[in-house]
Amino acid sequence: MLDQLEQLATAARTELDRLASGDALDDWQRRTIGRNGQITGMLRRVGELPKEERPQFGQRANQLKKELEAAFEAKAEAIKAAELEQNMAAGALDVTLPGRPVNRGRLHPSTQTLRRIYQIWADMGFQVYRSRDVETDEMNFQLLNFPPHHPAREMQDTFYTTNPDVLLRTHTSPGQVRVMREYFPEPIRVILPGMCYRHEQITARSEIQFHQVEGLAVGKGIRFSDLKGTLINFAHRLYGAGRPTRFRASHFPFTEPSAEMDVQCFLCDGKGCRMCKYAGWLEILGCGMVHPTVLRNGGYDPEIYSGFAFGMGPERITILRHGIEDIRYFWGNDLRFLEQF
Ligand code: DAH
């Protein structure tokens, strides 16, 4: 029986050395040194031996069991360490893999132009005043001196709501009256940027929505020379100092006198090119002295106060600056266009 015990122990030891997984190890433990294992079973059979052989057998069996238990613990540790190593290797991060590009957004070309315009006017002391997109017929037309059947109304085909007195503003000029009514009797120096809407055929040259930046200065003793000086200063900041400008007489119902301002074409320096349609000049804004009727509608007595106003189109400025051929690109959401800015 002692020989049998030695054989069992040797076999168990050999098997243990070859084990590679935690599950197999548990199984081995159950079959050998566990409560119902073979070695434990041999110990129980000690009573089958003659009395004088029992102490020696018992001692040897206990010794072997202890040795196997120690070997089991060592093996368990080793397997645990190996498994940990394997997990670490499997989850390792390869820092040499190529990265994926992150898409970066950019400012819309109109926003870029708007911000340049805000900056220039801020430098000259003009604050931004936000006026509403949805206006009344009264604000958009009547208080700006458009009589009910004035042909100029037809120049600005209008989006009406179901209420014919409520519409989408066709220009930023109605903000002039709102500012005056809010600021009276303070002097005014504001720009009014915002989206405008016109019920038009969408083509390469006209859109149903576009930005405008309106400007308004009201105070005592403001003259046409102030208008000219201020706008020339603006044009020089936007298009470069020394760029020639000119004013042409024009007509708007809400200004008197009215003018349009041109800058010399910055592509051909006035020689004539496709951009300026061989005129040598580019029109950049409308302007004029605030009409006495409009001043009165804003609450300012035209006998005491005067002012100038102007209106420009950021999309037009952007088109001229970058040679953009089709205004529909602005709201087309085509990244191939937008990514160029
Ligand atoms: N409201 C005009 C338009 O939409 C632009 C304009 C012209 C605004 C002259 C002004 C101005 O303030 O003085 O065409």
Side-chain angles (χ1 to χ4, degrees):
M1 219 161 76
L2 192 59
D3 285 349
Q4 204 189 338
L5 175 69
E6 296 287 355
Q7 270 167 24
L8 271 173
T10 309
R13 189 62 201 247
T14 312
E15 194 191 346
L16 179 68
D17 286 343
R18 280 202 296 261
L19 292 181
S21 81
D23 287 348
L25 190 66
D26 289 342
D27 181 56
W28 178 90
Q29 198 255 4
R30 209 169 23 76
R31 282 185 288 106
T32 55
I33 54 177
R35 194 141 42 87
N36 299 312
Q38 288 168 317
I39 307 290
T40 321
M42 293 295 285
L43 260 168
R44 280 203 205 97
R45 283 172 59 198
V46 70
E48 293 171 23
L49 287 170
K51 229 186 177 112
E52 61 280 7
E53 290 178 21
R54 289 180 197 166
Q56 196 204 345
F57 180 86
Q59 251 173 27
R60 182 63 183 149
N62 272 322
Q63 189 193 3
L64 285 172
K65 195 175 173 205
K66 274 214 186 76
E67 281 174 19
L68 285 170
E69 277 168 356
F72 169 79
E73 295 296 341
K75 186 75 183 183
E77 279 296 315
I79 285 178
K80 222 166 98 180
E83 281 178 350
L84 181 67
E85 193 130 313
Q86 224 172 30
N87 283 343
M88 302 245 292
L93 186 68
D94 182 356
V95 294
T96 66
L97 283 173
R100 291 188 204 101
V102 176
N103 284 325
R104 267 181 84 209
R106 295 173 174 73
L107 292 178
H108 189 279
S110 289
T111 306
Q112 294 181 24
T113 302
L114 278 166
R115 290 190 177 185
R116 288 186 72 208
I117 293 171
Y118 299 162
Q119 184 59 57
I120 293 170
W121 288 108
D123 287 347
M124 294 197 274
F126 284 68
Q127 291 188 320
V128 170
Y129 185 96
R130 296 272 170 197
S131 191
R132 58 190 68 188
D133 289 37
V134 179
E135 270 294 3
T136 57
D137 183 274
E138 185 187 28
M139 282 283 173
N140 195 80
F141 292 119
Q142 295 168 44
L143 295 173
L144 291 171
N145 202 31
F146 288 76
H149 299 289
H150 194 280
R153 280 191 181 227
E154 278 151 45
M155 281 163 45
Q156 304 191 358
D157 295 316
T158 310
F159 283 116
Y160 289 93
T161 63
T162 47
N163 177 346
D165 291 329
V166 179
L167 44 82
L168 296 182
R169 66 175 170 199
T170 59
H171 53 173
T172 44
S173 303
Q176 288 188 27
V177 180
R178 294 195 179 275
V179 181
M180 285 192 270
R181 290 186 173 179
E182 185 175 323
Y183 279 37
F184 180 82
E186 299 297 322
I188 297 171
R189 254 191 265 159
V190 293
I191 53 168
L192 305 107
M195 195 65 90
C196 303
Y197 310 85
R198 289 187 197 175
H199 190 182
E200 285 184 50
Q201 189 74 35
I202 299 177
T203 68
R205 320 202 132 261
S206 73
E207 251 291 0
I208 57 172
Q209 67 174 77
F210 52 89
H211 287 100
Q212 279 190 347
V213 178
E214 189 89 8
L216 178 69
V218 175
K220 289 178 185 165
I222 293 179
R223 305 186 300 178
F224 197 84
S225 53
D226 297 312
L227 173 153
K228 284 184 74 178
T230 309
L231 289 175
I232 288 168
N233 195 307
F234 168 78
H236 284 172
R237 287 174 194 238
L238 191 61
Y239 295 105
R243 171 66 50 192
T245 57
R246 71 178 185 188
F247 289 82
R248 284 178 290 104
S250 183
H251 174 77
F252 302 101
F254 39 88
T255 45
E256 181 58 36
S258 303
E260 277 167 327
M261 185 185 186
D262 299 341
V263 293
Q264 188 191 64
C265 181
F266 41 80
L267 273 182
C268 62
D269 285 332
K271 290 183 201 68
C273 67
R274 219 159 65 91
M275 176 70 78
C276 61
K277 301 205 190 85
Y278 302 96
W281 295 92
L282 298 166
E283 182 202 321
I284 57 162
L285 54 82
C287 58
M289 300 306 288
V290 182
H291 196 287
T293 303
V294 177
L295 279 174
R296 210 175 289 116
N297 290 338
Y300 286 78
D301 182 350
E303 298 294 328
I304 303 169
Y305 297 94
S306 58
F308 65 79
F310 56 87
M312 62 184 82
E315 279 80 38
R316 179 166 163 75
I317 291 172
T318 312
I319 281 171
L320 294 176
R321 183 142 187 261
H322 298 290
I324 298 165
E325 266 150 21
D326 192 323
I327 196 172
R328 290 170 292 192
Y329 285 134
F330 280 90
W331 320 126
N333 281 341
D334 187 335
L335 283 179
R336 290 170 302 178
F337 171 73
L338 297 172
E339 279 176 349
Q340 296 179 47
F341 300 92

